[in-house]
Structures are given as structure tokens and as C-alpha cells.
Amino acid sequence: MNNNADFSIGSPAKNILKLAVPMTVAQLINLLYNMIDRIYIGRIPTTGTLALTGLGLCFPIIMIVTAFANLFSFGGAPLFSMERGRENDEEAQKIMGNSFLMMIIFGVSLTVIGLLFQKPILYLFGASDATYPFARDYITIYLLGNIFVMTSLGMNSFINAQGFAKKGMLTVMLGAFTNLILDPIFIFYFGMGVKGAAIATIISQLLSSLWVLKFLTGKKAILKLTKESMVLKFSRVKRIIDLGMSGFIMSVTNSIVQIICNATLQIYGGDLYVGVMTILNSIREIFTMPVSGITDGATPVMSYNYGAKNFDKLKRAIKFMSVICIAYTFLAWITIIAFPDVFIKIFNHDPKLIAKSIPAIEIYFFGFFMMALQFAGQRVFVSLGKSGYAVFFSIFRKVIIVTPLTILLPKFFSLGVNGVFLAEPISNFIGGLACFITMLVVVLPEINKKD
């Protein structure tokens, strides 16, 4: 077996870093990818703030597209690694093929549904007559190319799961640098505004998806994507969906929370505060991406060793991932609180927007490091195939905690817009602790018993 892909060889920390470093770089590049649109759009003369707010209204739809990519990548890739750990390469290959075909089917379906109902959806998500045209222009083009987004995002996990993290990083780099070049050309040179940003994004994602498919069907892949592997089997697809449901629900609930936040902020603060939330989400993405890179790097290592019944290395992998995530997010919290205006000005220089964003940041990011507990606990459950726990904690933090607080705090405690921002740190403390403690109580006794 190629040592690139045998995660039972060497220390778990070394194997995680071997994957996590290029995957974290890829996540940061992907962040650049997503941020470029917002940075340029926020600088469009005279309409930049409204255009940025309009783009923020599209986030929930983009999250839903991401949710379906996660459904089949977060479900398929760990199962793929487990089967490889059991030396069942034939089943691993079929899991990859079935995941790919399901992404295509759902990608097409989302495009059709999104285009048919975009207007009522965007107004439901908090659009006003002033911001709707910008949101419409962006999301129409984005939806037409969302199948490329799903393929590049979802299938890249299967490159990483085979140990080719640097190839996975190149997938993201290709799209990000293409977008970096095309964005100013379409937005400013051709004067297309948000339409130009969407066109640049879709062209970039198209190139990334072609790169992914070329690698997975080429000679260098250990297990290849073939037509034969795409024959759907109900029991296999069910396994993929069951395990991927936590990643799916996490993205969908993020979308739901964003919808409720935008709608509530529209009531208590208007378009300006919807713009503030767009900036807060953007800053959160900046500092969350490395955590995703670390946990993404740890997932194949944990799944492989669990499948190979190498429980000592599994425990060491869990410990290493958790410590790194918590330490990083603590430093990130200190940095955000110390220099809020630096991060706000990345996206917009409107004095009113900056003045409203600074106190919002201090509330929204309070205790940011507690979020790492949710990420770490959740990823252990997914890596070990414990879909029930993963799904529960996805729902618990966003649906049971954040959603009611976002609605109730502004109204019943007279906090106004501050109530919306306060819901996030409360959920990080309660949800993060509950998820991580449950993981320790459930997983460690099980693997200690088997070790």
C-alpha cells in the first residue's frame, strides 16, 4: 500500500500534520476565494455597502449548496477511509462513486428549485427593495454553476482521504487564484458589479472541479472514480447519508440561523446591521478555516485507525487534534478583540458600518475558543461513524440554542440588535461543552475497552 495513504504508519500527530498543513493552507486559500468577492464588492463606488449587504443575503443559499456537498463528502470520505483501513478497496471505490453521482443529482435539483423560487426566498431571508437587485444578480449566476461548486468542494475530500493533501490544496489554489484575477476584470473593467463577481466565481469553480475529476480518474489516484463505481446501491447511499447528515445539518442550521439573524436585524436595525452581520460572518470565516483544516486533516487518520482497530493511535490523534484546535481559537479570540477595526476595513470603509461593527464584534466573538470544542467533538463522532451523536449536536447548538435566543433576546430582554450578536457566544459555551464532554464520555471508554 502507498505510504501516503497508510495512516497506521508513523505517529498520529505527524500524519495529521502531513494532511492538515496543506489542507489548512487550502482552507485559507479557499477563504481568500470566498472573501475576494466581498472585498471587491464592498468597494464598488456609491453602491458598495448595499451590494455587500445583498451578497450577505445570498449566504444562506450558498450554505445550503455547501450542506449538500457536505452530506456526501462528510459521509462518503470517512466511510471510504474506514473501508481502506479494513483493506476493502472495492467497497471504498464504490462509496466514492456513489457519493459523486449523488452530488450531481442534488446539484441539478438545487439549481432548478433555487432559480424558480429565488425572489420569495431572498425576501424571506431579509432582503429589502434596495438590496434585492444585488442579491438576485449574484445568486442567479451562482446557482447556474452550483454543480461545479459541489463537485470541487465535495470530491476534493476523496483526494485528501487517499493521502494526497497537497493535490487537494492545488484544487483550491487553482480556483482561488483564478477568482483573484477575474474578479476585478469582471466587476470593474467590464462594469458588471455583483454579476461579474458571480461569473468569476463560477468560472473558477469550473476549473477546480475539472482538476478534481482529472486527478480522481487519472493514474496517480490510488482508488479511481469509475463509471462502474457509480452504480447506486440503496444500503450504501443510506450509510453515506446517515454519516454525512451531521455535516449537512451543521451547514443547513448555519443557513437557518443566518436567515433568522438577517430577518431579525432587518427589524431592529435595518440594512446597515444586515451589512454588519455580513462582515462578522466574513471575519468568523477567516478564523474558523484553520480549525476546519486541522479537523479535516485529522478525519482520515482517525477513521483509518478506527477501521484498522489501532486504538492507541486513535486516542493520540483525538488528543492532538483537540489541543491544537483549542489553543489556536484562544489566540484567535485575543487577536480579534485587540484589532477589530483592522478586520472590518478589509471589507468596507464606511464610517457608519465600522462604528456599528466594533461593539458587535466584541459581543459576537466573546469566548470564541469554546467553538473549538464543538468542532473537535463533532469531528470525532463523524470519523468513528457515530452519526447519531454528530447529528444531535449539530441540531442542539444551532436549532435548540441559537435560533430561540436570536428571536427572544432582542424582544424580551430589550437588547435589540445586541441580542442577536449575543446568541452566538452563549451557544458556543453551552453547545461546545456539551458536545466535547459527551464525546469523552462515549468514545474514550469504548476505545479503552477495545485497546
Side-chain angles (χ1 to χ4, degrees), residues 19 91 95 149 185 194 201 218 226 264 291 303 331 349 380 383 391:
L19 293 177
E91 178 59 21
I95 287 170
V149 178
I185 294 173
V194 293
T201 296
T226 63
T264 307
V291 182
S303 295
L331 291 174
H349 285 82
V380 171
S383 299
V391 169

Side-chain angles (χ1 to χ4, degrees), residues 315-328:
K315 285 189 289 185
R316 287 157 60 192
I318 293 171
K319 182 179 179 180
F320 180 78
M321 175 192 68
S322 301
V323 169
I324 292 294
C325 286
I326 293 167
Y328 162 76

Side-chain angles (χ1 to χ4, degrees), residues 287-305:
F287 288 97
T288 300
M289 284 297 177
V291 182
S292 297
I294 294 163
T295 54
D296 285 350
T299 297
V301 177
M302 291 188 292
S303 295
Y304 189 99
N305 282 293

Side-chain angles (χ1 to χ4, degrees), residues 363-426:
I363 297 170
Y364 189 80
F365 286 99
F366 181 78
F368 182 63
F369 62 93
M370 296 299 291
M371 178 209 66
L373 299 179
Q374 175 93 19
F375 269 77
Q378 190 105 358
R379 193 52 66 98
V380 171
F381 286 133
V382 170
S383 299
L384 275 55
K386 299 183 180 299
S387 57
Y389 289 102
V391 169
F392 171 78
F393 284 108
S394 292
I395 295 172
F396 179 68
R397 190 169 81 89
K398 291 294 186 179
V399 177
I400 297 176
I401 303 175
V402 177
T403 299
L405 288 179
T406 301
I407 297 169
L408 296 176
L409 289 177
K411 184 175 182 180
F412 291 101
F413 295 91
S414 302
L415 291 170
V417 293
N418 288 338
V420 177
F421 303 129
L422 187 59
E424 182 71 11
I426 292 173

